[in-house]
Amino acid sequence: MSAVILDGTRIAAEIRAEVAAEAKALSAAGRRPGLAVVLVGHNPASEIYVRGKVKSCEEVGIYSEKHTPAENITTEELLELVMGLNLRDEIDGILVQLPLPFQIDSKKILLAVDPAKDVDGFHPMNVGALSTQRPGLVPCTPAGIMEILRRSQIPVAGQEAVVIGRSDIVGKPTAMLLLNANATVTVCHSKTRDLQDVCRRADLLVAAIGRAGMINRDFVKPGATVIDVGMNKITDRGEFDSLFAGDAKRSESFRLKGSALVGDVHPQVAEVAGAMTPVPGGVGPLTIAMLMSNTVRAARLRRGTHVAELSSV
Ligand code: GUN
């Protein structure tokens, strides 16, 4: 048996096209959605992510601006920047790229973002809205996971779901979304006993750990759906070979680049799972697509306008 590969790139393109149509309708009514991205310092991974976010805004017709304060900015100065963005009506979404430098009180910054513009869904008000099933803004990667499942017609209600990882950005909100969709949810973490046994119960397994290839076939029930949120850069040839021995195309790419991007799920899982997301090209593309979707949603919610009503504006 070989798992169905869930094509995140295709699903993300579908969502971007829908968002572009909504952005166009809003723009035609003089309400072009706007996103402000704040990138502090020069974290190379963050720079790549932010570039992708700004480029995607251009593609779907969302106004965007990038703020790049220096690495040594203080919490107070960053608060001032965020509060200035809160006040600007043409800005519908504010995204402060994480991680922030050590001297910054990240919790204080995330609390300062207007919940109505919190397109990351990290403000405690939106976290509370999600956990009490009120309308709000939902974190992008977890929302993207749900879109992959929904658009691939993978049932969630009544299913046994196991989420590995309890981060505020991915693990916890994913567990909450699955619970709201009526799955029976278990959240695992570094202190979980008998992790393999717990994972093997899952019809839906979500891996958000940050360890290359850790989830091998022994963790997976035959036929399960496996969602891989991992994005690990590996540079060790031995580690690469333990994951991809025999994959000529990947091997050549590793030889040229000296590194490879790999998920938390071992490629051999494709032999047992019913469906799985690849890395790259699985969950990753959905994160930016859902950011675009959240920005348009924030624009609509803030202005009390649904797109269907815009034709009469
Ligand atoms: N850093 C890694 N993932 C994310 C994300 O989804 N949002 C923000 N703001 N920063 C991140």
Side-chain angles (χ1 to χ4, degrees), residues 204-226:
L204 271 173
L205 183 62
V206 180
I209 315 154
R211 281 181 58 185
M214 182 183 132
I215 302 304
N216 62 32
R217 60 186 303 146
D218 299 335
F219 288 74
V220 179
K221 175 161 95 175
T225 297
V226 181

Side-chain angles (χ1 to χ4, degrees), residues 222-270:
T225 297
V226 181
I227 305 289
D228 189 351
V229 191
M231 289 262 255
N232 311 289
K233 187 175 171 180
I234 60 167
T235 51
D236 182 80
R237 181 84 219 186
E239 190 177 14
F240 176 85
D241 287 339
S242 75
L243 292 165
F244 299 110
D247 186 331
K249 205 168 143 202
R250 284 219 197 211
S251 190
E252 176 61 9
S253 163
F254 184 88
R255 196 184 62 77
L256 292 170
K257 286 198 222 155
S259 69
L261 187 65
V262 308
D264 292 342
V265 177
H266 198 292
Q268 67 179 204
V269 165

Side-chain angles (χ1 to χ4, degrees), residues 20-293:
E22 291 194 41
K24 196 171 167 191
L26 283 161
S27 300
R31 300 167 188 193
R32 187 177 189 194
L35 175 68
V37 181
V38 179
L39 171 64
V40 179
H42 295 285
N43 179 315
S46 292
E47 282 181 336
I48 293 170
Y49 290 141
V50 166
R51 209 174 305 141
K53 289 169 185 179
V54 170
K55 181 163 164 263
S56 192
C57 281
E58 277 165 30
E59 285 167 8
V60 302
I62 291 175
Y63 165 78
S64 75
E65 59 185 37
K66 193 166 86 169
H67 297 262
T68 54
E71 183 83 32
N72 63 356
I73 190 171
T74 64
T75 299
E76 285 64 37
E77 287 165 338
L78 192 52
L79 278 176
E80 226 165 273
L81 171 58
V82 168
M83 289 189 301
L85 295 169
N86 282 344
L87 292 174
R88 284 176 52 203
D89 191 48
E90 75 279 22
I91 297 298
D92 296 292
I94 301 170
L95 181 141
V96 182
Q97 186 67 27
L98 302 177
L100 290 166
F102 73 94
Q103 80 278 11
I104 301 284
D105 184 341
S106 297
K107 284 202 155 75
K108 217 171 180 176
I109 300 298
L110 297 182
L111 194 63
V113 175
D114 179 349
K117 299 187 177 188
D118 171 36
V119 284
D120 258 330
F122 293 165
H123 191 287
M125 188 89 94
N126 281 317
V127 177
L130 175 60
S131 78
T132 53
Q133 294 187 269
R134 290 176 162 87
L137 292 160
V138 175
C140 301
T141 302
I145 292 171
M146 298 308 287
E147 284 298 321
I148 292 177
L149 295 173
R150 190 170 71 79
R151 291 174 192 248
S152 309
Q153 280 98 43
I154 291 168
V156 176
Q159 299 296 97
E160 193 83 48
V162 172
V163 179
I164 322 168
R166 56 175 155 180
S167 70
D168 292 341
I169 296 183
V170 180
K172 278 192 243 173
T174 301
M176 199 55 79
L177 285 168
L178 290 166
L179 182 61
N180 289 349
N182 298 314
T184 302
V185 184
T186 304
V187 183
C188 300
H189 46 79
S190 54
K191 302 285 192 296
T192 297
R193 265 189 289 126
D194 306 322
L195 182 64
Q196 272 190 17
D197 291 346
V198 178
C199 290
R200 256 203 310 265
R201 292 206 302 258
D203 304 303
L204 271 173
L205 183 62
V206 180
I209 315 154
R211 281 181 58 185
M214 182 183 132
I215 302 304
N216 62 32
R217 60 186 303 146
D218 299 335
F219 288 74
V220 179
K221 175 161 95 175
T225 297
V226 181
I227 305 289
D228 189 351
V229 191
M231 289 262 255
N232 311 289
K233 187 175 171 180
I234 60 167
T235 51
D236 182 80
R237 181 84 219 186
E239 190 177 14
F240 176 85
D241 287 339
S242 75
L243 292 165
F244 299 110
D247 186 331
K249 205 168 143 202
R250 284 219 197 211
S251 190
E252 176 61 9
S253 163
F254 184 88
R255 196 184 62 77
L256 292 170
K257 286 198 222 155
S259 69
L261 187 65
V262 308
D264 292 342
V265 177
H266 198 292
Q268 67 179 204
V269 165
E271 294 160 25
V272 245
M276 69 189 283
T277 59
V279 174
V283 173
L286 266 298
T287 299
I288 294 187
M290 296 317 290
L291 174 65
M292 301 299 107
S293 168

